[in-house]
């Protein structure tokens, strides 16, 4: 934290400039005491019911009795001006007596939940099956939600204050004895060394502490779902919460983590694996479909079989533009729709979505701006990009699409493969909190493949991912496998 | 000279399999059948096996030459010949590696131009490929190992395509009569098939980058075995698919075989095949250039990024300097000739010299 060399006097004078600063005078047994606080930050009910009546009561003989007699939980004695400064602005009441004004008693009467929502349906990362409660803006609520799921002495919560203006509480959460020290230390060091004014959201923290600045890929997993965070913790990852943000971030993350939905684990493994494969295929389709369209129609129409070529040419017959312009036009339209959809008020949003999607699409074909086939391809790939369980990754996928379209417009199929090489080369370089980003694909880890493209039965997922170097490899031991092996084996 | 590499830059032992195998597969696989069948004709598959066996032996020699004290070629050269002569020899090896990468670079661009883009200029392709290689090689050896791994795993689905030539080739009579050629013919064909296996000698340079390198011989031998089996299969299938007469007049027999592949949604599969083949050749291409920069680094103080840039400029300009298609063939012949003598003469010689020197040192 930045040290300011204010004395207590100066601090109070500076605070007095604001209208909401309050200083009142009371006396206990003839000794004058002063109460100073910001009335916009404190809980008035507590002040009126639990603080002021007690100050006048006969029980209180001495000022030192306060900590015993007052029905307030968080009471500290201090002379440290920095601490006083910090706590005054976090809703504490400063209590001074006239004889020794530098010895302050700080009473925590912060109205922490004023103006914050109390609960949150995980709307951005929805799942049909499974719990639907998400994190909220209040840090303590979030940690409470977390503690409810993980009832263990291993769950450790560390706190720091970050941001020279916002003084935001940031919590580092991990499982002691499971998470590798190295990851925890990396997070601690990076948070300690960062300089920033206001921590708006954990996504800001993610951008500041990430390993590489110049990449479209999210390097730490950001989520509002409780089950997801618990899953990362149990696997031996480190989680960061920040006050005022309904998202927690977890690391070290890998590329595949972003394509895994908690719902995969709530369905049985056959269905879970199937949907996961569908999702990954959809994402590949989303990245490559429009660039393949450009490459094929610009350079290699020979690769299309005769019977398919006719309808394709026919649908494009009236379009006056080269394929790349056609694709860029339609892709930009879709991006526009998405962006508008995200910004519009919910009530208008749905109507406009229908107008945008159906009317504009049909009109564009009728006006010969695009072909029918391309309309299908682009809208399907837009749809597919939304199957990513983590929204940020969906954005990355859409950016990649433009990257490949540009490459294929210049060099056709060769351009696409060159683009893939650049992408692979980029992914091989990326690191998340110092661990490789595309593990288990490279460095190749065979035993981590059980929970990657497919989701194996839960009883086989009893090991933590070795690439996270957990201090305890086994999550649980499978005592007996109650698997029905078929009637032939039943002797009795 | 420092020869130990930091732990974080090392690659796991079993990656040696992929490094060795991917260095051996490459451009030569697309059109080697006409060369190797020139002498031994339908018996050339025996030559492939023969070469494979000899390569196993050479690989064993290389592992005998390298040890903890002298983990790469430059250190061996220093030990055997002293500083000046050793460095000169290392420089010649650098030139040979550079020639190898030029062959692959040029050959791939030629294939792209002949098969897919007749109108695209060489310099355009050259610059794009050059930038890609710069980006990848500057990522270091670990990244290249990743490419060699995925360059083996991903394209292995192309092996399914074997089904198509087998479907069309109704007879195996083209393989008969078996072994009616003289040993001389078979040896000449074996010499021609050496080109297929070239590339494994880069292990002389990247050996110190392998974790527990002295235990990696098993994987390296497996890699070579896999290459031999792969070449054997492809040789046999092309001998079944073509008759010997036709084979002699077909420039890229493997690609011609891929031409007959077609699916309901895709024709001219060889386009896709050629594009995916970039995945196969990119790792040997990058590793050979990386080996050049590594030698430069060990001999001089030039930083790798600069030497890499210079080498790439040299390769791209050499590629664009002539328009004659024959020159690719010429340079490939020269490279395989040099490679042939390098592995069959120079490596055994190095082995002998090193062991004589070791014995003499011991007796003192």
């Amino acid at each position: 934290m930045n040290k300011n060399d204010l004395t207590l006097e100066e601090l109070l004078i500076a605070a007095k400039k604001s209208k909401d600063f309050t200083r009142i005078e009371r006396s206990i047994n003839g000794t004058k005491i002063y109460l100073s606080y910001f009335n916009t930050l404190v809980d008035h009910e507590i002040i009126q019911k639990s603080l002021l009546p007690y100050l006048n009561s006969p029980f209180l003989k001495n000022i030192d009795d306060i900590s015993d007699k007052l029905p307030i939980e968080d009471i500290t004695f201090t002379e440290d001006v920095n601490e006083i400064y910090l706590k005054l602005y976090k809703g504490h009441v400063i209590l001074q007596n006239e004889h020794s004004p530098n010895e302050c008693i700080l009473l925590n009467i912060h109205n922490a939940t004023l103006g914050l929502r109390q609960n949150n349906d995980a709307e951005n990362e929805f799942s049909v099956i499974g719990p639907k409660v998400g994190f909220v803006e209040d840090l303590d609520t979030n940690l409470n939600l977390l503690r409810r799921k993980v009832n263990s002495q291993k769950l450790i919560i560390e706190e720091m204050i970050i941001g020279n203006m916002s003084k935001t509480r940031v919590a580092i959460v991990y499982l002691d004895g499971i998470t590798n020290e190295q990851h925890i230390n990396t997070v601690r060091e990076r948070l300690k060394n960062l300089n920033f004014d206001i921590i708006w959201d954990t996504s800001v923290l993610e951008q500041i502490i990430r390993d590489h600045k110049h990449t479209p890929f999210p390097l730490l997993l950001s989520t509002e779902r409780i089950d997801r965070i618990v899953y990362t913790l149990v696997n031996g990852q480190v989680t960061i919460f920040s006050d005022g943000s309904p998202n927690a971030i977890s690391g070290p993350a890998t590329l595949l983590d972003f394509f895994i939905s908690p719902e995969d684990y709530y369905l049985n493994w056959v269905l879970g694996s199937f949907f996961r494969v569908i999702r990954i295929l959809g994402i590949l389709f989303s990245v490559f479909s429009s660039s393949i369209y450009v490459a094929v129609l610009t350079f290699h129409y020979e690769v299309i079989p005769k019977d398919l070529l006719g309808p394709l040419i026919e649908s494009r017959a009236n379009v006056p533009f080269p394929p790349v312009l056609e694709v860029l036009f339609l892709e930009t339209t879709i991006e526009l729709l998405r962006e508008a959809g995200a910004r519009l008020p919910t009530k208008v949003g749905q109507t406009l979505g229908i107008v945008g999607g159906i009317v504009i699409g049909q009109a564009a074909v009728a006006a010969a701006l695009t072909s029918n086939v391309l309309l299908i391809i682009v809208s399907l790939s837009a749809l597919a990009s939304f199957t990513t369980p983590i929204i940020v990754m969906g954005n990355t996928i859409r950016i990649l699409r433009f990257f490949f379209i540009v490459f294929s417009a210049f060099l056709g199929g060769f351009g696409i493969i060159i683009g893939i090489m650049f992408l692979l080369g980029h992914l091989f370089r990326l690191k998340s909190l110092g661990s490789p980003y595309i593990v288990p694909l490279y460095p190749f880890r065979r035993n981590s493949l059980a929970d990657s493209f497919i989701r194996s039965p839960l009883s086989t997922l009893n090991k933590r991912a070795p690439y996270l170097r957990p201090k305890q490899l086994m999550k649980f031991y499978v005592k007996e496998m109650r698997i029905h092996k078929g009637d032939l084996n039943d002797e009795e | 000279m420092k020869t130990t590499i930091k732990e974080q830059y090392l690659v796991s032992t079993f990656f040696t399999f992929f490094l060795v195998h991917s260095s051996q597969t490459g451009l030569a696989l697309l059109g080697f059948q006409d060369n190797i069948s020139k002498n031994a004709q339908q018996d050339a598959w025996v030559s492939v096996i023969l070469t494979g066996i000899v390569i196993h032996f050479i690989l064993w020699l290389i592992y005998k030459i390298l040890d903890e004290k002298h983990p790469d070629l430059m250190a061996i050269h220093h030990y055997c010949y002293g500083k000046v002569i050793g460095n000169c020899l290392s420089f010649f090896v650098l030139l040979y590696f550079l020639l190898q990468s030029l062959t692959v670079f040029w050959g791939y661009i030629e294939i792209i131009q002949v098969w897919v883009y007749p109108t695209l200029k060489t310099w355009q392709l050259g610059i794009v490929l050059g930038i890609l290689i710069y980006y990848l090689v500057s990522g270091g050896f670990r990244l290249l190992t990743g490419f060699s791994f995925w360059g083996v795993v991903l394209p292995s689905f192309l092996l399914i395509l074997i089904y198509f030539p087998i479907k069309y080739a109704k007879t195996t009579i083209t393989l008969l009569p078996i072994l009616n050629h003289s040993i001389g013919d078979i040896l000449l064909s074996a010499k021609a098939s050496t080109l297929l296996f070239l590339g494994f000698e880069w292990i002389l340079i990247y050996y110190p980058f392998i974790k527990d390198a002295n235990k990696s011989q098993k994987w390296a031998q497996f890699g070579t075995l896999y290459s031999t089996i792969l070449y054997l299969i492809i040789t046999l299938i092309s001998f079944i698919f073509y008759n010997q007469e036709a084979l002699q007049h077909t420039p890229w027999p493997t690609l011609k075989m891929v031409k007959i592949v077609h699916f309901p949604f895709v024709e001219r599969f060889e386009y896709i095949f050629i594009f995916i083949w970039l995945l196969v050749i990119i790792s040997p291409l990058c590793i050979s250039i990386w080996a050049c920069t590594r030698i430069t680094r060990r001999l001089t103080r030039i930083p790798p990024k600069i030497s890499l840039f210079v080498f790439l400029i040299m390769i791209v300009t050499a590629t664009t300097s002539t328009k004659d298609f024959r020159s690719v063939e010429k340079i490939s012949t020269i490279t395989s000739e040099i490679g042939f003598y390098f592995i069959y003469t120079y490596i055994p010689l190095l082995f002998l010299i090193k062991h004589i020197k070791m014995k003499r040192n011991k007796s003192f």
Side-chain angles (χ1 to χ4, degrees), chain A residues 299-300 302-306 308 407 410-415 417-418 420-429 431 436 438 440-445, chain B residues 11 14-15 108 112 116-117 120 125 128-129 131-132 135-136 138-139 142-143 145-147 149-150 263-268 271 275-276 278-279 282:
Chain A
F299 292 94
H300 338 275
E302 308 96 293
V303 298
I304 309 171
K306 254 204 327 278
L308 208 65
F407 264 100
F410 283 117
L411 288 167
F414 184 63
I417 199 82
I418 291 273
I420 292 176
M421 295 287 166
F422 270 114
L423 181 63
L424 277 179
H426 182 64
L427 285 174
F428 281 139
R429 282 163 195 240
K431 296 213 154 150
I438 61 164
L441 303 183
Y442 182 76
F444 185 66
R445 298 277 180 271
Chain B
V11 298
F14 87 102
F15 279 121
Y108 187 69
I112 288 267
V116 194
Y117 302 100
L120 224 52
L125 288 168
V128 170
L129 213 52
I131 294 172
L132 176 67
Y135 183 68
L136 297 186
S138 59
R142 271 183 71 100
L143 191 144
T145 313
F147 268 90
F149 175 71
W150 284 104
F263 297 104
F265 50 90
V266 128
E267 300 242 348
R268 301 294 294 272
Y271 280 23
F275 295 148
I276 293 175
L278 182 62
L279 251 179
I282 198 78

Side-chain angles (χ1 to χ4, degrees), chain A residues 221-287:
Chain A
L221 192 86
S222 164
T223 179
E224 60 171 355
R225 289 190 66 98
I226 301 163
D227 45 4
R228 221 191 163 102
I229 284 299
V230 171
Y231 190 69
T232 60
L233 280 173
V234 166
N235 268 327
Q237 279 154 287
V238 187
T239 299
I240 305 166
F241 287 90
S242 101
D243 198 19
S245 166
N247 287 313
I249 51 177
S250 242
T254 68
L255 182 65
L256 280 177
D257 286 347
F258 291 88
F259 302 119
I260 287 171
S261 163
E263 201 165 329
D264 298 347
Y265 300 93
Y266 300 146
L267 294 164
N268 83 48
W269 76 272
V270 182
L271 292 172
S273 303
F274 176 69
F275 291 137
R276 200 177 271 185
V277 169
I278 289 282
R279 199 178 300 134
I280 289 170
L281 287 181
I283 283 149
L284 288 179
F285 178 83
S286 176
V287 174

Side-chain angles (χ1 to χ4, degrees), chain A residues 385-457:
Chain A
S385 78
F386 286 106
T387 57
T388 48
I390 303 275
I391 284 275
V392 194
M393 192 44 114
N395 298 338
T396 310
I397 299 286
R398 279 197 299 280
I399 287 276
L400 286 183
R401 203 148 70 202
F402 282 95
F403 169 78
F404 280 108
I405 290 170
V406 171
F407 264 100
S408 72
F410 283 117
L411 288 167
F414 184 63
I416 296 181
I417 199 82
I418 291 273
I420 292 176
M421 295 287 166
F422 270 114
L423 181 63
L424 277 179
H426 182 64
L427 285 174
F428 281 139
R429 282 163 195 240
L430 288 186
K431 296 213 154 150
S432 168
L433 296 183
S435 315
Y437 187 55
I438 61 164
V439 80
L441 303 183
Y442 182 76
F444 185 66
R445 298 277 180 271
R446 191 167 44 90
N447 36 14
S448 297
L449 285 180
D451 189 14
S452 56
F453 295 109
I454 54 156
R455 202 277 282 170
S456 307

